[in-house]
């Protein structure tokens, strides 16, 4: 389980870096991040979770993970 958690953290870091990189290349990085976050939240809200008794808990954790990833990003500096 520790190996799986480590891999998930590595994937989250990679995805966060990729999103930040794309945002920095966009004309309006903050708007890009906001729109992208909203799209990801909509996907998590609508995805079909099969084979689980408590899908609401899984969905809540997924939403919290998305929020956590985006909270790690901050607007680019004005430098």
């Amino acid at each position: 389980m520790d190996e799986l958690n480590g891999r998930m953290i590595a994937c989250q870091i990679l995805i966060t870096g990729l999103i930040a990189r794309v945002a920095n290349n966009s004309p309006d990085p903050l708007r890009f991040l906001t729109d992208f976050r909203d799209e990801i939240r909509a996907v998590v809200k609508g995805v079909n979770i099969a084979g689980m008794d408590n899908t609401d808990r899984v969905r809540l954790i997924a939403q919290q993970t998305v929020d956590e990833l985006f909270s790690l990003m901050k607007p680019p500096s004005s430098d």
Side-chain angles (χ1 to χ4, degrees):
M1 193 61 155
D2 288 340
E3 181 181 345
L4 178 61
N5 287 338
R7 288 178 186 220
M8 289 301 297
I9 291 169
C11 286
Q12 288 174 336
I13 291 168
L14 176 65
I15 290 168
T16 303
L18 289 171
I19 294 168
R21 178 74 182 252
V22 171
N24 283 333
N25 290 334
S26 80
D28 187 359
L30 204 50
R31 182 155 191 66
F32 172 84
L33 288 175
T34 302
D35 291 347
F36 191 74
R37 182 203 58 215
D38 292 346
E39 288 178 28
I40 296 299
R41 286 182 60 90
V43 168
V44 169
K45 185 176 180 181
V47 73
N48 183 21
I49 302 170
M52 298 287 297
D53 292 333
N54 191 358
T55 59
D56 292 336
R57 174 122 172 91
V58 173
R59 194 174 313 281
L60 176 65
I61 291 170
Q63 289 283 7
Q64 289 172 343
T65 302
V66 169
D67 291 339
E68 182 180 323
L69 282 173
F70 281 95
S71 72
L72 295 174
M73 297 180 210
K74 62 179 184 178
S77 65
S78 58
D79 297 341

